[in-house]
Amino acid sequence: MSLRAWTIGAILILNAVRFIATDRSPPGFYVDEAVGAAHALCLGETGKDLFGNAFPLFSAGLGAGYYTAPYLYGEALWTRIFGVSTAAFRTFPAFITCLTVVFIFLWVRKKEDEETALAAALLASVSPWVFQFSRIAWDPPVSACFIVLGLYAFESLKWRFHWVLGALAFGLASLAYPGTRILTFPLVLLLPGLGWKKKSYSMAILCIILAPVFWRTLVDPRFTARAEMLVLWSSHPMSPLHDSGVLEILWSAIQNFLSHLSPDFLMLSGDRNLRHSTGAVGMMSPVEYLLLVGGALSGSIMMIRKRTLPSEGIRFIMAGAILGILPSALTWESVPHSLRAIAAWPFFVVLAALTYRKLIRSAPLVRPAFLFICLGFAIFLGNAYFLDWTSRSEAWFQTENNTLGLSYSRLVSGEASCEDITKEIDLGPFRTLK
């Protein structure tokens, strides 16, 4: 077998692992997963969410958060086909993540070549950042998928209306996860190879898709309550910067941003939240991190020597990584926060793959070593995830003993119907159930 065939086989096997034992690892069914699952169940059965809203774009959850239409309707369709078990709900984001890897491959192949695209797909397949969030039933992986689909569509210049699909995908990404709304408009403006006329039309499509978001923000103060509490300039008493000036807030944002680039976060121990990271490794594989560091150093030396900037395409991917971190860097809670920065990982993977391409041109023997090291790390990550982390993280994946928190288990067991729970919610969604 050729090295290409081995690489393709490795990518297929590594992505198949995402679907293994999702009912046991993560342990339990976290309250955010359970409430979203209950919303999706009721939407599939009655066309209404737990609060009785017919075909909603947003459904309320705990902690002033909202579940979004791309995720809820996707789960509703998926579980109508595959059942309503914990595993069924968690395999939907696993499937979405596999699609994201496919779109990364297609996007990079359009931009560069197949070998670089396979390297990017392999790096995504062994990434702890990607694996961790592909097995939890929530919205953010859907947003990352639509971002990469949009990038691929915008790159497909031979399609007559490629930019329409790109704008639609970016719009759905913005609906699927609030933090993504910081990215999509700037990404459209920065897209290389797209004329200003098509960029303007794309921005218009984005605005149309997000019109319900803008309207809900104006008429419902609760809709943005969580975001307003978490931003650095929040006046919320829990915010450490609620009495700070502009310069202090700016300096805190810079520190937060840099914390997402630290070796501790990216390579050694990752996110402190055990839902977001195993703690045994960083958010990246060591090979991805070293490729990024090596690429940054060699690129900086080249810029100094030749007094030139990186190509427009590389500048765009770097901008995407920066923009992907911003939703987390502009908040004060639990930073660095890998979930809020989930849109950054596709850009990091592609940057690392581009460094790999440069490396193999001068050192072809790197090819088999790259595959071997990626597979070795995948084995290490699987051992850390399925054994040690699964036993340590049980307390992080529990539900809550109230009307919303127990709605999923009561629906699945037949103890209550969607209509019953909607009536109970009118009496108080957070009241404790005996």
Side-chain angles (χ1 to χ4, degrees), residues 214-221:
F214 301 145
W215 174 251
R216 187 75 177 267
T217 300
L218 290 173
V219 301
D220 184 2

Side-chain angles (χ1 to χ4, degrees), residues 71-196:
Y71 172 73
L72 289 177
Y73 294 111
E75 282 281 27
L77 176 61
W78 182 265
T79 52
R80 295 289 281 186
I81 300 170
F82 296 103
V84 296
S85 65
T86 298
F89 278 100
R90 283 178 171 166
T91 52
F92 176 66
F95 171 72
I96 289 295
T97 302
C98 290
L99 287 182
T100 310
V101 175
V102 170
F103 292 140
I104 282 180
F105 170 80
L106 294 173
W107 176 42
V108 177
R109 189 174 65 172
K110 278 279 184 186
K111 289 181 66 65
E112 305 297 337
D113 55 61
E114 184 178 276
E115 186 170 16
T116 310
L118 284 172
L122 181 58
L123 287 168
S125 300
V126 300
S127 168
W129 205 335
V130 183
F131 189 77
Q132 188 79 21
F133 293 136
S134 68
R135 297 170 57 86
I136 302 175
W138 51 17
D139 311 58
V142 180
S143 182
C145 182
F146 279 122
I147 286 175
V148 182
L149 171 59
L151 292 169
Y152 169 58
F154 278 120
E155 193 71 31
S156 303
L157 301 178
K158 292 183 180 179
W159 302 354
R160 186 174 179 183
F161 295 107
H162 66 99
W163 54 273
V164 176
L165 176 58
L168 288 172
F170 274 17
L172 290 172
S174 298
L175 283 180
Y177 189 52
T180 308
R181 293 164 202 161
I182 296 177
L183 278 73
T184 47
F185 285 96
L187 282 178
V188 171
L189 290 174
L190 294 171
L191 277 166
L194 191 69
W196 283 106

Side-chain angles (χ1 to χ4, degrees), residues 256 260 324-332 334-338 340-341:
N256 285 353
H260 290 81
I325 292 172
L326 280 184
S328 179
L330 295 178
T331 62
W332 53 265
S334 302
V335 176
H337 197 286
S338 57
R340 293 180 198 140

Side-chain angles (χ1 to χ4, degrees), residues 240-251:
L241 298 171
H242 67 274
D243 290 327
S244 300
V246 174
L247 291 179
E248 289 175 290
I249 291 172
L250 180 60
W251 176 240

Side-chain angles (χ1 to χ4, degrees), residues 185-229:
F185 285 96
L187 282 178
V188 171
L189 290 174
L190 294 171
L191 277 166
L194 191 69
W196 283 106
K197 186 176 181 180
K198 290 180 180 178
K199 286 183 179 181
S200 300
Y201 291 155
S202 298
M203 297 279 281
I205 292 172
L206 266 177
C207 288
I208 292 169
I209 295 174
L210 291 178
V213 176
F214 301 145
W215 174 251
R216 187 75 177 267
T217 300
L218 290 173
V219 301
D220 184 2
R222 295 171 298 178
F223 186 64
T224 55
R226 180 168 175 78
E228 290 174 1
M229 180 186 75

